[in-house]
Amino acid sequence: MSLADSVLAVNNDLPIRTDKPVHSGKVRSVYWLTEADSRRLIDQKGYDVPADTPLAIMVISDRISAFDCIFHGEEGLKGIPGKGAALNAISNHWFKLFKENGLADSHILDIPHPFVWIVQKARPVKVEAICRQYITGSMWRAYEKGEREFCGITLPEGLSKDQKLPELLITPSTKGILTGIPGVPAQDDVNISRQNIEENYQAFGFEKPQDIDLYETLLKQGFGVISDALAKLDQVFVDTKFEFGYVTDSNGQSKLIYMDEVGTPDSSRIWDGAAFRDGKVIENSKEGFRQFLLNHFDDADILLNKDRMDEREALARDNALPLEAMMNVSRTYTGVAEKVTGNKIELSSNPKADIVAILKQQYGLID
């Protein structure tokens, strides 16, 4: 098996039966099932959702994105070996732990393959829900320049880089470009305050005002569950991004759930505990890859300056990264997954063929 063959880089060309366009994001692709297939699977598999719930097949990839670009490596490596399976395994583990602790459900109904989720259609909340336990990254850079207010929260004077914050902070931002909201620029990923959300809760996708309290509760509870579990592995949960949405349960009631992935190296910063106690930061997350890129290229401003996006895309397209750098990322992702789940991440010699076989034989979704 060649290393390149073990990587699932293109995940939007599977022959899954669908009557809608395949939605392909930076990492995941979504195949909406036909109404007939959705109803059949709900009946056959006993999914606890209304019979008319639209279902989708969500397929993760091994692609690696940073600074809004997709990067590749030497020897034809179009992604990170083991990354997709590691991300899914970590999220699956945390979602299971959430359920055991009485937290909200997720959008996942079934896991046919390490790369694949069967999910129910949700109505997304248009908020990137970010929790921070330490001051680092963009918050520290802004603080160092003299900013003290973040998302309507005033930070105290005298904080130092990578210091634990006085309390767990919720610093939300917009998910997608939202228009017509007073005081909120029509741009993706701009910081917002709780007051912005309260005054325009429907524009952000909340169904009722009290769900703002619920989303904050679920965010803090989810963060706490993951942080406590990682602490037992001597890992520091620094910050993370959650996403939420609404689904209709089998009784016809609307409920708020966790969506997308949670507590992964893609959506979180995770530091090695022993190193941090010695005054060093060792990143066990994608932040380590971002730092590598900033040091690898001569002009780091290309990666940081949004006005140089064309140059940035050319940088990602025209430069194959060193194989060792790609494998370092692989070791980070699979290492975190194996620590968290206690199970080894196995590489498939042909993940796409494996997915097709399972979805054909066990789910009847391949013609």
Side-chain angles (χ1 to χ4, degrees):
M1 165 178 91
S2 81
L3 199 56
D5 288 339
S6 73
V7 167
L8 182 62
V10 179
N11 59 345
N12 62 354
D13 62 349
L14 292 161
I16 298 169
R17 190 165 51 248
T18 180
D19 52 7
K20 296 178 180 65
V22 178
H23 171 74
S24 194
K26 288 177 191 169
V27 175
R28 298 178 189 273
S29 286
V30 180
Y31 299 75
W32 287 105
L33 300 185
T34 65
E35 183 181 350
D37 279 329
S38 291
R39 286 181 176 274
R40 175 178 58 81
L41 286 181
I42 290 168
D43 180 54
Q44 289 179 354
K45 303 292 184 179
Y47 300 144
D48 187 23
V49 295
D52 61 351
T53 301
L55 304 186
I57 303 293
M58 191 175 280
V59 183
I60 200 167
S61 72
D62 290 315
R63 293 190 297 271
I64 180 82
S65 74
F67 303 107
D68 295 317
C69 293
I70 303 292
F71 288 86
H72 66 283
E74 297 170 340
E75 298 188 18
L77 215 55
K78 301 297 184 186
I80 303 296
K83 175 178 179 280
L87 291 179
N88 270 10
I90 293 166
S91 285
N92 296 341
H93 181 83
W94 297 137
F95 284 137
K96 182 169 177 281
L97 209 54
F98 288 178
K99 198 161 191 176
E100 290 171 1
N101 281 271
L103 277 60
D105 290 332
S106 77
H107 59 330
I108 302 170
L109 299 174
D110 202 350
I111 306 169
H113 179 276
F115 279 74
V116 179
W117 290 339
I118 295 180
V119 300
Q120 59 182 314
K121 187 176 181 62
R123 304 177 292 282
V125 172
K126 298 161 191 169
V127 173
E128 299 271 7
I130 299 166
C131 244
R132 301 176 189 270
Q133 193 162 233
Y134 291 78
I135 184 166
T136 190
S138 61
M139 179 179 273
W140 168 252
R141 289 192 293 272
Y143 186 90
E144 194 177 25
K145 291 175 184 174
E147 290 184 37
R148 293 295 179 267
E149 187 168 306
F150 300 87
C151 303
I153 302 164
T154 302
L155 293 187
E157 297 291 336
L159 297 180
S160 55
K161 187 174 186 289
D162 302 331
Q163 179 181 339
K164 190 168 187 178
L165 291 160
E167 60 181 332
L168 188 65
L169 297 186
I170 296 176
T171 58
S173 61
T174 55
K175 179 175 169 57
I177 298 173
L178 306 179
T179 58
I181 301 177
V184 178
Q187 300 168 13
D188 184 26
D189 196 26
V190 295
N191 286 347
I192 53 176
S193 67
R194 182 187 168 106
Q195 185 177 348
N196 292 141
I197 299 173
E198 287 174 341
E199 292 174 350
N200 306 276
Y201 71 93
Q202 289 173 311
F204 287 105
F206 286 100
E207 294 184 354
K208 47 188 185 292
Q210 53 266 46
D211 285 346
I212 301 168
D213 286 336
L214 177 58
Y215 120 84
E216 289 192 343
T217 297
L218 292 176
L219 183 55
K220 290 176 179 177
Q221 287 178 336
F223 191 98
V225 166
I226 297 172
S227 183
D228 291 347
L230 285 176
K232 292 174 184 174
L233 302 171
D234 205 9
Q235 301 292 298
V236 180
F237 200 36
V238 179
D239 54 40
T240 195
K241 170 184 70 87
F242 282 27
E243 294 185 25
F244 296 92
Y246 289 91
V247 296
T248 303
D249 66 19
S250 53
N251 297 318
Q253 300 298 309
S254 185
K255 64 179 182 180
L256 195 63
I257 61 158
Y258 295 99
M259 280 178 55
D260 198 50
E261 61 182 43
V262 290
T264 73
D266 261 13
S267 62
S268 317
R269 277 189 181 88
I270 301 168
W271 293 342
D272 180 79
F276 187 61
R277 289 192 295 276
D278 286 341
K280 296 177 288 190
V281 168
I282 295 178
E283 297 280 0
N284 284 328
S285 58
K286 191 163 69 174
E287 183 60 27
F289 179 64
R290 286 192 284 260
Q291 294 302 320
F292 161 77
L293 293 174
L294 290 170
N295 293 320
H296 180 69
F297 292 111
D298 293 334
D299 188 357
D301 184 67
I302 294 176
L303 297 172
L304 296 172
N305 189 339
K306 290 183 178 180
D307 294 332
R308 302 180 71 179
M309 198 65 205
D310 289 346
E311 292 174 85
R312 192 188 304 178
E313 288 172 349
L315 204 68
R317 182 187 65 239
D318 299 337
N319 290 276
L321 300 177
L323 181 63
E324 183 58 19
M326 301 291 275
M327 294 313 296
N328 279 341
V329 181
S330 176
R331 285 187 282 271
T332 295
Y333 277 69
T334 57
V336 171
E338 289 171 359
K339 268 195 185 83
V340 165
T341 67
N343 298 314
K344 187 168 176 55
I345 298 295
E346 302 286 353
L347 296 186
S348 166
S349 59
N350 192 336
K352 193 172 288 188
D354 294 345
I355 293 168
V356 169
I358 288 172
L359 292 182
K360 182 181 179 71
Q361 294 161 14
Q362 299 180 28
Y363 292 83
L365 294 172
I366 309 286
D367 290 325

